[in-house]
Amino acid sequence: MANSIVTLRDIARTALPHLMNNLVFPRLVHSDFSDALAAKQGDTVQVRKPVNYIARDFDPDAGTQTQELEEGSVEVKLDKIASVDIEVSALDAALNFDSIDRLFIEPAAIALAEKLNADGLALYRDIAATVGTAGKTPSELSDLAAVRGALNDALVPQAPRYAVWDTAADTAFATVPALVNAEKSGSTDALREGALGRVFGIDNYMSQAVVKHETGITAADGVTVKSKAAEGAQTLDLTGTTLTGYLKAGDLMQIGGKNYTVVEDTAAAASNTISGVKVTPALPALTAGTAVTLIGSHTANLAFHPSAFAFVTRPLSEPAGVESYVTSFDGISLRVVRGYDMKYKREMLSMDVLYAYKTIYPELAVRCLG
């Protein structure tokens, strides 16, 4: 590095605020962090599930109905390391710390944040509940009202509620008169800040990392359940007058007015039949010939309560034999390593984060189709 006075400690402590300032999804969901013990990729940790109670009407004849005070837990595998790596020689032109910040620290932290946001928003695959129409960008006040209605129908707690929209939806909503007109909204904050803000009790955010889901189905007509499925089953066979391509994890289907999401990719259709389709939630009893509607490619905006998802992170262990520094703050941990690549004989600088995501309560989220 051009300035040898700059330490990994300086880099890490400068990078972490940049990283946190660019995080969207991880800051909106339930987080689990412990700096008590460093970890490595592949480690499994126990994560506490947020307690989830059900409020019921009091029946004076039956008396109170107690619920268990039980804080459950789930195992989460720390399977992801987001990393940005460069050759130290790339910073030879850096004359001072500000140059290093501009050339490496800030852009690397932003890249890490984009990766963390994208991986979190990919949890849409676990969410079967939907509002909106595939291929049609949400753009009206009624679209936001539909999201509120879906969350209400699912008994999602009133607060907090969040929604993350893609750039197209965010742009469309920003022109809705009721949201930006001071006389109608009672505030010009949204217009001044260029943000949608809080509408109908939902705090709205934009992210370029919202996923555009592409189905693997290339043609579908007259799709039905091929053979009966028992109540509680999570696998079914589909057939159709025309059915080609394959179902991808995250594809949606509607049966009897209820939505189901495909859990994993299937084999390609053979003779207009796809067998062994794994779905969630569990199916009701189905007879052969039951109509199935496949929902096509769409933008997977998300609205949710924080307890729907968990973001899990731990400090990375410091590797032996090389210079490294780990820093943590407010549930986020970042490691910077400087080492030498023996194979290619070059000095490397690396910035990375160890993390995982887990869907905890999918019923507390809805996919907002675009």
Side-chain angles (χ1 to χ4, degrees):
M1 242 181 298
N3 190 338
S4 59
I5 298 176
V6 175
T7 66
L8 296 189
R9 177 179 180 274
D10 296 327
I11 293 175
R13 291 195 170 187
T14 303
L16 189 57
H18 287 315
L19 172 63
M20 296 180 69
N21 287 340
N22 286 278
L23 291 177
V24 178
F25 191 79
R27 311 297 288 169
L28 303 178
V29 302
H30 175 69
S31 60
D32 186 282
F33 171 77
S34 172
D35 59 2
L37 186 65
K40 62 182 184 298
Q41 187 175 24
D43 284 354
T44 299
V45 297
Q46 287 285 338
V47 174
R48 294 175 179 174
K49 294 176 64 175
V51 178
N52 192 28
Y53 293 119
I54 299 174
R56 303 185 178 98
D57 289 328
F58 173 69
D59 184 341
D61 296 325
T64 58
Q65 302 178 58
T66 61
Q67 299 179 55
E68 293 294 328
L69 180 59
E70 182 178 348
E71 187 178 45
S73 64
V74 293
E75 286 190 348
V76 177
K77 185 176 182 179
L78 294 166
D79 58 350
K80 295 182 179 293
I81 293 182
S83 178
V84 175
D85 313 282
I86 66 165
E87 289 189 51
V88 172
S89 60
L91 296 178
D92 284 346
L95 302 177
N96 51 48
F97 187 79
D98 287 342
S99 297
I100 294 174
D101 188 15
R102 176 176 55 84
L103 291 171
F104 174 61
I105 300 175
E106 183 174 8
I110 291 173
L112 291 175
E114 290 174 349
K115 180 71 166 66
L116 267 63
N117 287 331
D119 285 349
L121 288 164
L123 294 175
Y124 78 89
R125 298 185 183 96
D126 298 333
I127 307 306
T130 64
V131 295
T133 303
K136 180 182 178 182
T137 299
S139 59
E140 304 291 340
L141 202 60
S142 58
D143 294 319
L144 294 170
V147 174
R148 175 183 171 89
L151 294 175
N152 289 342
D153 289 344
L155 305 181
V156 175
Q158 290 290 322
R161 291 177 174 182
Y162 300 117
V164 182
W165 304 94
D166 77 324
T167 55
D170 180 76
T171 300
F173 285 139
T175 64
V176 176
L179 299 179
V180 298
N181 188 295
E183 288 77 19
K184 295 180 181 179
S185 68
S187 170
T188 59
D189 288 348
L191 186 59
R192 289 200 306 267
E193 297 297 330
L196 187 58
R198 185 173 178 82
V199 182
F200 295 146
I202 302 170
D203 291 305
N204 296 274
Y205 296 83
M206 183 278 294
S207 174
Q208 294 97 331
V210 170
V211 180
K212 290 179 172 54
H213 178 81
E214 298 289 342
T215 181
I217 295 295
T218 54
D221 184 59
V223 180
T224 63
V225 175
K226 183 177 182 180
S227 53
K228 68 177 183 179
E231 182 177 357
Q234 291 190 268
T235 302
L236 75 163
D237 302 329
L238 301 180
T239 190
T241 306
T242 302
L243 185 58
T244 59
Y246 70 102
L247 288 163
K248 292 175 62 175
D251 274 354
L252 290 163
M253 65 180 68
Q254 191 173 83
I255 305 174
K258 185 174 180 178
N259 282 6
Y260 301 86
T261 184
V262 177
V263 173
E264 61 183 46
D265 293 1
T266 69
S271 302
N272 295 318
T273 295
I274 300 178
S275 301
V277 182
K278 296 181 179 179
V279 299
T280 189
L283 296 161
L286 298 174
T287 58
T290 301
V292 177
T293 300
L294 299 181
I295 299 174
S297 300
H298 58 275
T299 299
N301 305 292
L302 278 175
F304 52 90
H305 184 274
S307 295
F309 310 107
F311 172 67
V312 185
T313 182
R314 295 289 188 273
L316 275 160
S317 56
E318 298 189 36
V322 296
E323 184 185 1
S324 65
Y325 187 84
V326 178
T327 185
S328 303
F329 179 74
D330 197 22
I332 302 293
S333 183
L334 176 76
R335 182 180 68 175
V336 179
V337 177
R338 180 174 179 169
Y340 185 76
D341 188 327
M342 295 287 290
K343 182 176 180 180
Y344 296 103
K345 299 188 183 299
R346 57 190 178 186
E347 195 173 13
M348 303 294 296
L349 192 63
S350 175
M351 186 185 298
D352 50 19
V353 178
L354 174 67
Y355 64 102
Y357 284 102
K358 184 78 171 182
T359 300
I360 304 296
Y361 294 112
E363 63 272 20
L364 298 183
V366 61
R367 205 186 302 191
C368 312
L369 306 183

